[in-house]
Structure formats: structure tokens, C-alpha cells
């Protein structure tokens, strides 16, 4: 029923940019909480960017000023613009959707790989 999918990952040089996209089979809604998680090899998964039902955004200190999360409900897409990429940004990026910002309705994508070389 619910299918969350990410796209846009790839390999770039340090300082380059990528734009990740996330879609939900049931749509992207402004009253949802949504976010992006990053998991580097051998490390725990951590939230890097999120947006709540009021449109307020939150960023991890490690990506603040470099990453931007946006939602486009018309195109049912959640995006993560990643600029000034660093090697430590390398890893899997996962999209997560919380319908009505309720934890019990949390849905994850399978992830997309990002590799940043020096």
C-alpha cells in the first residue's frame, strides 16, 4: 500500500552537489512530518533534515547551511538539495514520512547511495 522511494543518489567530487528526491505512493502532504536520514558505513543512522506540518525545518549541525529540505505537494515530491558535499557525507540516504506527524504511521524508503570523493 504505502511505498516510499528515493532517487537522485550518485557519485560526486568534494564540493559538488546532488539533489535527492522522495516520492510516496499515497502522496506527499503538507500536514505530514517528513525527513531525510543519513547512515555512513559503520555508523548509526542519523537525521540530517526534517520538515514538520507547519513547514518548519530542522537540520543537523553537520549539514546546516549546506543541505536544504523542501516539499512540493503539487508534484508529490520531497527533496534534499545537497551542496558543498564533503567525503563524510558519503553513505545511504533514507526518506521517512510520518503521516500526520504520528510515530505509529512512519514509513521508510529503501535508501539511495551517495558517494563523495576527495
Amino acid at each position: 500500500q504505502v511505498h516510499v522511494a528515493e532517487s537522485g543518489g550518485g557519485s560526486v567530487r568534494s564540493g559538488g552537489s546532488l539533489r535527492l528526491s522522495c516520492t510516496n505512493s499515497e502522496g506527499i502532504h503538507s500536514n505530514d512530518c517528513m525527513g531525510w536520514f543519513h547512515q555512513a558505513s559503520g555508523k548509526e543512522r542519523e537525521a540530517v533534515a526534517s520538515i514538520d506540518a507547519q513547514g518548519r525545518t530542522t537540520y543537523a549541525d553537520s549539514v546546516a547551511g549546506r543541505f536544504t529540505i523542501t516539499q512540493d505537494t503539487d508534484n508529490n515530491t520531497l527533496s534534499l538539495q545537497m551542496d558543498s558535499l564533503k567525503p563524510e557525507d558519503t553513505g545511504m540516504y533514507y526518506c521517512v514520512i510520518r503521516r500526520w506527524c504520528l510515530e505509529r504511521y512512519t514509513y521508510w524508503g529503501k535508501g539511495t547511495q551517495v558517494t563523495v570523493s576527495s
Side-chain angles (χ1 to χ4, degrees):
Q1 293 181 333
V2 177
H3 180 235
V4 177
E6 306 93 337
S7 63
S11 298
V12 297
R13 292 274 206 169
S14 180
S17 297
L18 285 173
R19 186 176 180 87
L20 307 183
S21 296
C22 174
T23 58
N24 180 9
S25 62
E26 296 188 348
I28 298 294
H29 305 98
S30 61
N31 61 344
D32 296 342
C33 285
M34 296 168 280
W36 290 91
F37 278 68
H38 169 238
Q39 186 169 27
S41 179
K43 294 187 177 181
E44 295 183 351
R45 190 176 299 184
E46 64 172 352
V48 295
S50 64
I51 184 167
D52 66 15
Q54 290 73 46
R56 295 174 297 206
T57 57
T58 302
Y59 298 94
D61 289 342
S62 59
V63 308
R66 300 187 298 118
F67 290 11
T68 304
I69 185 172
T70 56
Q71 59 180 322
D72 184 349
T73 55
D74 289 339
N75 293 305
N76 290 305
T77 303
L78 176 74
S79 298
L80 183 68
Q81 178 67 41
M82 304 185 294
D83 297 322
S84 301
L85 284 162
K86 304 175 181 179
E88 52 262 45
D89 296 322
T90 293
M92 292 292 293
Y93 284 79
Y94 300 88
C95 175
V96 62
I97 306 294
R98 281 186 172 178
R99 291 252 51 211
W100 312 287
C101 300
L102 298 174
E103 186 175 2
R104 64 187 295 186
Y105 299 114
T106 300
Y107 305 99
W108 293 85
K110 296 185 183 301
T112 186
Q113 177 69 39
V114 169
T115 302
V116 184
S117 60
S118 300

